[in-house]
Amino acid sequence: NEAASPYGVVNALVTNDLNGRGVFTANINGESFSGEATRRAGSSRDGVANGAGNRGGFLNCQYSMNSATMGTGTCRMSNGATFTMHVGQ
């Protein structure tokens, strides 16, 4: 969307603890976001990742894994910017 286009490609990192959750971090336009990624209850594929920014923003992501290491989803920043997410190694 128009709100996301000035940012270009954004990279995020999820460190998986192998128990259905992990640590989520991203850096967008100089704002550092950190939070948690978890799988939805009862699902081995679908999950959410939320991060709070050091400048007061927040990031909310929804994703679905196609395999143990590959998936897709979307992320929305508090300013309305929406990004397509590609999960992979």
Side-chain angles (χ1 to χ4, degrees):
N1 67 12
E2 270 187 53
S5 63
Y7 301 117
V9 175
V10 173
N11 292 303
L13 177 67
V14 175
T15 304
N16 188 346
D17 72 0
L18 302 178
N19 288 313
R21 63 178 52 178
V23 176
F24 172 75
T25 59
N27 191 302
I28 302 172
N29 198 36
E31 184 167 8
S32 297
F33 296 86
S34 63
E36 186 176 76
T38 59
R39 296 286 170 94
R40 291 193 191 279
S43 177
S44 62
R45 296 176 36 143
D46 301 326
V48 297
N50 295 297
N54 64 335
R55 295 182 184 165
F58 63 87
L59 189 60
N60 175 265
C61 305
Q62 311 284 326
Y63 64 89
S64 182
M65 300 301 291
N66 301 320
S67 71
T69 59
M70 303 286 288
T72 61
T74 59
C75 292
R76 183 174 175 93
M77 283 180 60
S78 51
N79 70 357
T82 302
F83 303 90
T84 301
M85 176 195 299
H86 299 276
V87 180
Q89 294 180 335

